[in-house]
Amino acid sequence: MPSGRIAVSVATIGLGALQLGGVAVAAPAGGGGGVDGTSCTDARIKACVDLSENRAWLLDGQGNVVYGPVRNSHGAEGQETPTGDHIIQRKERHHVSQEYEGSPMPYAVFFDNEGRAFHGGSTDRESAGCVRLGPDDAKRFFEHLNPNDRVQIVE
C-alpha cells in the first residue's frame, strides 16, 4: 500500500452491526439520525418514517433525502403502525377502505400485507395503523415509491 493512504473495509453483517477494519461496531439505533439527517439507519431505503417525531422523508435508496421532512400521523394506541423494515407491496391511486366504512385513502402505497399504507388524509388525528400524509405529500410519496422499494419505520 502506498504511504499516506489508509484502507478501511466496510461491510454490512447481520443484526445491524458494521465491520470496520476487523472491529464490529453497532449501527445507530432507530431515531439516531443515521441516514442524511433522518431517523433511519439503512441507506437502501426509499422512505423513512419517525413515529415519535411525526416526520417522514423520501430518499434515493443511496442515503440521500430527496423530499422532506414532512408531517405525518400514524396508528392510535391498539392500532399501532408497525416499526421496522418493510417492502412496498402495491399502489392504488383511488383506494377506498373496506375495513373502515368506505374511508378514502388517496394515493395509497401499501407497505405490509395487513392493509397499512402511506396515504393522504388529515394529519391532525391518529390512524388505524397507516402513515397518513397531507394531500401534496401523499401524492409525492405515491409518485416516488414503487413495489419492492424498501421503507423503514422507527419510533
Side-chain angles (χ1 to χ4, degrees), residues 1 5-11 19-23:
M1 169 184 297
R5 293 189 182 190
I6 299 173
V8 177
S9 173
V10 179
Q19 184 73 27
L20 299 175
V23 178

Side-chain angles (χ1 to χ4, degrees), residues 49-55 72 74 81-83 131 153-155:
V49 178
D50 183 325
L51 300 177
S52 65
E53 298 290 328
N54 288 327
R55 296 185 303 171
N72 73 80
H74 54 83
T81 301
T83 58
V131 176
I153 301 173
V154 299
E155 284 194 83

Side-chain angles (χ1 to χ4, degrees), residues 12-13 16 35 40-49 57-64 84-90 109-112 118 141 144-153:
T12 302
I13 60 175
V35 176
C40 292
T41 58
D42 186 341
R44 299 169 295 175
I45 61 172
K46 298 292 287 288
C48 171
V49 178
W57 300 261
L58 291 174
L59 295 98
D60 64 3
Q62 298 176 6
N64 302 301
D85 294 345
H86 303 277
I87 303 293
I88 298 300
Q89 305 293 313
R90 64 188 172 91
V109 181
F110 294 89
F111 58 82
D112 74 5
F118 297 100
F141 273 62
H144 182 76
L145 296 171
N146 291 298
N148 298 315
D149 283 347
R150 299 169 53 120
V151 301
Q152 191 173 59
I153 301 173

Side-chain angles (χ1 to χ4, degrees), residues 86-117:
H86 303 277
I87 303 293
I88 298 300
Q89 305 293 313
R90 64 188 172 91
K91 297 171 25 169
E92 194 173 327
R93 166 66 186 89
H94 298 287
H95 185 74
V96 176
S97 173
Q98 300 302 313
E99 295 85 7
Y100 296 98
E101 303 168 2
S103 296
M105 295 171 58
Y107 297 110
V109 181
F110 294 89
F111 58 82
D112 74 5
N113 292 325
E114 304 297 321
R116 290 179 282 235

Side-chain angles (χ1 to χ4, degrees), residues 124-140:
D124 293 331
R125 60 185 178 87
E126 295 174 316
S127 73
C130 291
V131 176
R132 198 178 293 131
L133 303 160
D136 292 339
D137 299 330
K139 183 178 181 186
R140 287 288 289 267

